[in-house]
């Protein structure tokens, strides 16, 4: 089973999360700078008691594809511990099944595409 994990974390947690993922030896990471809001909608603008707008705050998105539910759990745990502050805005982690992965160099697909020969 191929599972994708998307984690949206605080900008200042980039290095901590990267280190945590490196420590558990995931075989690939994609990182992007994104904008988003959660339950607080960034923060709210009020003018004379009327809510005007939502605000998108800069966040960091990690994308990791793993090849088992064990790796899914391990990866989520590592991100959760590294990204935690306890304050609102710590972020969210989403995981879902994906259909396929293809390693362009070797033409391997599925499980094989995600294995590392460098261990
Ligand atoms: N339901 C969602 N769908 C897509 N992205 C989300 C969702 N909830 C949160 N995010 C992303 O995660 C970022 C951080 O969300 P945040 O941690 O503020 O969630 P929250 O539900 O408001 O939790 P908290 O109350 O702890 O702040 C958002 O800026 C957004 O990019
Ligand atoms: Mg929030």
């Amino acid at each position: 089973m191929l599972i994708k994990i998307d984690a949206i974390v605080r900008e200042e947690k980039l290095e901590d999360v990267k280190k945590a993922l490196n420590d558990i030896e995931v075989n690939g990471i994609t990182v992007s700078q994104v904008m988003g809001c959660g339950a607080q909608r960034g923060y709210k603008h009020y003018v004379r008691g009327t809510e005007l707008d939502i605000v998108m705050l800069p966040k960091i998105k990690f994308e990791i594809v793993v090849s088992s539910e064990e790796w899914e759990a391990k990866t989520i745990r590592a991100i959760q511990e590294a990204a935690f502050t306890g304050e609102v805005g710590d972020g969210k982690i989403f995981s879902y099944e994906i259909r396929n992965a293809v390693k362009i160099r070797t033409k391997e697909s599925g499980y094989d595409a995600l294995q590392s020969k460098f261990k």
Side-chain angles (χ1 to χ4, degrees):
M1 187 190 291
L2 301 184
I3 300 166
K4 183 149 186 273
I5 297 152
D6 291 345
I8 320 291
V9 306
R10 294 179 187 279
E11 275 191 308
E12 60 268 30
K13 286 294 190 177
L14 169 63
E15 290 301 323
D16 289 344
V17 173
K18 214 170 74 181
K19 182 179 184 310
L21 292 170
N22 186 43
D23 287 349
I24 63 168
E25 300 183 324
V26 293
N27 284 334
I29 303 171
T30 301
V31 179
S32 16
Q33 294 180 294
V34 297
M35 303 290 282
C37 68
Q40 293 79 20
R41 298 170 196 275
Y43 55 85
K44 289 177 180 172
H45 279 210
Y46 288 93
V47 173
R48 286 189 290 275
T50 306
E51 184 187 320
L52 284 188
D53 211 351
I54 64 171
V55 174
M56 297 294 173
L57 298 175
K59 298 281 174 181
I60 297 291
K61 178 164 85 169
F62 282 87
E63 299 174 59
I64 303 112
V65 177
V66 298
S67 56
S68 69
E69 288 179 323
E70 289 69 32
W71 271 101
E72 176 192 21
K74 198 170 158 179
T75 304
I76 289 175
R77 198 179 325 118
I79 295 169
Q80 190 163 17
E81 284 169 7
F84 179 87
T85 73
E87 301 298 319
V88 298
D90 270 357
K92 283 209 174 83
I93 305 169
F94 305 102
S95 67
Y96 45 95
E97 282 181 52
I98 64 165
R99 286 170 56 85
N100 201 5
V102 174
K103 184 160 178 163
I104 294 172
R105 176 173 61 86
T106 58
K107 302 184 176 67
E108 291 165 302
S109 64
Y111 176 89
D112 291 340
L114 297 177
Q115 305 315 304
S116 170
K117 273 119 191 153
F118 297 98
K119 288 239 175 89

